Amino acid sequence: MAITSANQLELLQTAEAVAREKMIDPGLVVEAMEESLARAAKSRYGSEMDIRVSIDRKTGRARFTRVRTVVEDEDLENYQSEFTPESAKPYFMAPKPAQNAVWMRDGQPLTEFAGAAQVGDTFVEEVPPVEMGRIAAQSAKQVILQKVREAERDRQFEEFKDRAGTIINGVVKREEYGNVIVDVGRGEGILRRNEKIGRESYRNGDRIRCYIKDVRRETRGPQIFLSRTAPEFMAELFKMEVPEIYDGIIEIKAVARDPGSRAKIAVISYDSSIDPVGACVGMRGSRVQAVVNELQGEKIDIIPWNEDVPTFLVNALQPAEVSKVVLDEDAERIEVVVPDEQLSLAIGRRGQNVRLASQLTGLDIDIMTEEEESRRRQKEFEERTQLFMDTLDLDEFFAQLLVSEGFTTLEEVAYVELDELLVIDGVDEGTAEELQTRARENLEAQAKKALETARDLGAEDSLINFEGLTPQMIEVLAKDGIKTLEDFATCADWELAGGWTTQNGERHKDEGLLEPFDMSLEEAQTLVMTARVLLGWVDPTELDEDEEDDGDEIDTVEDAQA
């Protein structure tokens, strides 16, 4: 095929036809043609040459040019496409029109040639068009097809990337190793085996509704990952079935699913006249039934959301009845007490009910019966009673009185206001003072013994004299090998106060060295930073500046909210 003899407008017509068919920009097809023609020309003139082709977007004329660039002497690598300033001198003159050549600088043609050529200047001269043989034409066709495929993939990615998080209807094309390939219009999506509900299977041509979980740009084209097990899929289905959710009157606050079996969804209404649960259920259950049918009969509990966590948890554990809830906000754990006959219902088959309630609330839930809680409380009562009997030399009845009034530790007895002891039946001022004296003497003896043990373990004065640590704390630290202030300053706050980490979706407790002394993360952080300041590791002025910055940020946030 000879470019000179071909109908020049045919190139543009071909480009427009391909662009229409693939729904891409015609300019991209023309660029692909230019690249393919340039590759064919290089095979004719030499691969070392920088041959470029430009097709006029109006006439279709293809112009072939050879480009040579001026580089520094030491950077010269290719004599066919590069000049040194010295070798460029013979060419650096006003080219005659017949030469069809031009010097370019900063993208503009040069009209004046005072001085010498500069590094970065390019010499562009037109060369005769090439005769394209069969092999060259086939190569050019492959380049065009590749470019068109890349443009088509980019278009698909741009089209679907903003649709992530929505529901799409598609047609099953085929199944590969348990994964379903779905035709979603101008692309293909993949529904992996673990994203299907239960054991559902599909045949070619079946219509399917899926949630677009993710869209990724990959070398083989955009990958559209679909899901039918994602909690968001259920939320989007409810949005389609319940107009109040679509309009924002009702909001879905949380969803927890055991795909194909059971699910819980928490909703709240911003209009007091609309019941969120009733709106989601619909007339005679029509709305929720439509979602259930789509999810292969998955049973759905619709729960009213509540800002009060214990109240929300009681709702989430439906249909089980809850007697009492104890919330530990720091540990993000919650204890639930249920009647003995309600235990199996609260836990659910294979722990399903409590597991879904835990996912819905984001808390770890411990369920116990009233009998188990009673036994635990009785055990704690007996342990505290024995503590006061042993340390304060009290009889069992008097020790039980202290525990019944809410005293749990020697410190509380030793340092509480005297009036709080006087409210106990049979305790006068003299008895109260004697109780506090015994408690303080016992605490001092414990402190002395702990300090001696710490010194025997090698604890140094720098740690012992550090304000904020009790002798018992120092003993625990010394047993763990922390014997100097320098050792203490290298500790992390969670190593001292404990914390929680999440691994593979499960929360794990990290025990802190000083956690038995009720040390919080904030207190641990303050102690560690104080130690670092005393050792000169941290400039206290920098800490003050950080605190001021934090305060400024808080003010800014408050101003923005106001």
Side-chain angles (χ1 to χ4, degrees), residues 107-166:
Q108 300 295 326
L110 281 176
T111 55
E112 297 182 3
F113 297 88
Q118 299 179 8
V119 173
D121 289 352
T122 55
F123 182 64
V124 183
E125 58 180 332
E126 191 167 345
V127 295
V130 296
E131 294 283 339
M132 291 185 69
R134 182 179 60 82
I135 296 177
Q138 186 66 24
S139 175
K141 180 182 178 182
Q142 291 298 326
V143 171
I144 293 173
L145 289 175
Q146 178 65 24
K147 285 289 185 182
V148 168
R149 277 195 292 267
E150 289 175 2
E152 193 174 10
R153 289 169 180 169
D154 288 340
R155 178 195 58 74
Q156 287 179 354
F157 178 76
E158 292 298 323
E159 178 180 346
F160 285 100
K161 71 174 184 178
D162 295 328
R163 297 182 66 180
T166 63

Side-chain angles (χ1 to χ4, degrees), residues 501-527:
T501 55
T502 302
Q503 296 177 352
N504 300 325
E506 295 184 1
R507 289 172 55 78
H508 298 276
K509 183 72 175 69
D510 297 319
E511 300 294 339
L513 291 173
L514 303 183
E515 192 172 354
F517 303 97
D518 294 330
M519 178 169 288
S520 67
L521 277 172
E522 292 76 11
E523 291 170 338
Q525 188 177 39
T526 300
L527 285 174

Side-chain angles (χ1 to χ4, degrees), residues 248-264:
I249 300 172
I250 295 175
E251 181 184 355
I252 298 173
K253 300 292 286 187
V255 179
R257 288 183 66 191
D258 195 349
S261 177
R262 196 175 195 89
K264 292 180 184 287

Side-chain angles (χ1 to χ4, degrees), residues 168-172 182-185 205-210 226:
I168 193 168
N169 293 312
V171 177
V172 174
V182 182
D183 184 350
V184 290
D206 286 353
R207 295 199 63 81
I208 186 173
R209 184 184 289 181
C210 299
L226 307 176

Side-chain angles (χ1 to χ4, degrees), residues 371-436:
E371 183 182 348
E372 289 172 339
E373 196 225 5
S374 176
R375 285 201 301 265
R376 191 188 71 174
R377 291 195 173 278
Q378 183 62 33
K379 183 180 178 182
E380 290 176 354
F381 185 86
E382 291 172 356
E383 288 174 351
R384 290 168 183 169
T385 299
Q386 193 63 46
L387 169 69
F388 290 142
M389 289 172 63
D390 294 341
T391 56
L392 299 179
D393 193 21
L394 300 176
D395 60 31
E396 185 176 8
F397 176 75
F398 206 102
Q400 288 176 347
L401 277 178
L402 281 177
V403 177
S404 299
E405 290 295 330
F407 291 96
T408 59
T409 64
L410 278 179
E411 286 82 356
E412 291 177 358
V413 177
Y415 302 110
V416 77
E417 292 291 334
L418 205 61
D419 292 343
E420 294 190 32
L421 289 170
L422 294 176
V423 299
I424 301 174
D425 290 340
V427 175
D428 55 21
E429 189 169 337
T431 305
E433 289 175 352
E434 177 62 23
L435 280 174
Q436 288 197 325

Side-chain angles (χ1 to χ4, degrees), residues 13 36 50 78 149 153 193 239 241 256 263 309 367 370 378 395 406 408 454 460 480 543 559:
Q13 292 169 353
S36 64
D50 184 3
N78 186 346
R149 277 195 292 267
R153 289 169 180 169
R193 183 186 309 171
K239 187 183 291 186
E241 296 294 337
V309 175
I367 292 185
E370 292 175 341
Q378 183 62 33
D395 60 31
T408 59
E460 297 184 3
D480 199 66
L543 293 179
D559 291 342

